[in-house]
Amino acid sequence: MYNEAVKMVIKALGYGPMAETDGGYPGGYLKIARSIGLLSNVGVGPEGIITLGDICVLIYNMLDSP
């Protein structure tokens, strides 16, 4: 679920093609998300579970992304 949430945000920001050329799913998407600061203060639980609060932080971080 964590990887899927990151992928959706990256695609919404228009970085999908860059993430695909950078390794695809999930590595390329996570790499781009880290490089633009999307994952600051976002945690991930066991088995890739992301909480609603962490999704809110991820979306909030979108506001400051380039």
Side-chain angles (χ1 to χ4, degrees), residues 6-34:
V6 171
K7 181 179 179 180
M8 286 188 285
V9 170
I10 291 296
K11 284 193 166 232
L13 290 171
Y15 288 107
M18 185 184 298
E20 287 296 326
T21 59
D22 222 6
Y25 179 81
Y29 288 90
L30 293 171
K31 184 177 178 184
I32 297 293
R34 276 188 218 100

Side-chain angles (χ1 to χ4, degrees), residues 27-48:
Y29 288 90
L30 293 171
K31 184 177 178 184
I32 297 293
R34 276 188 218 100
S35 72
I36 63 173
L38 280 180
L39 301 180
S40 335
N41 301 319
V42 176
V44 61
E47 300 176 15

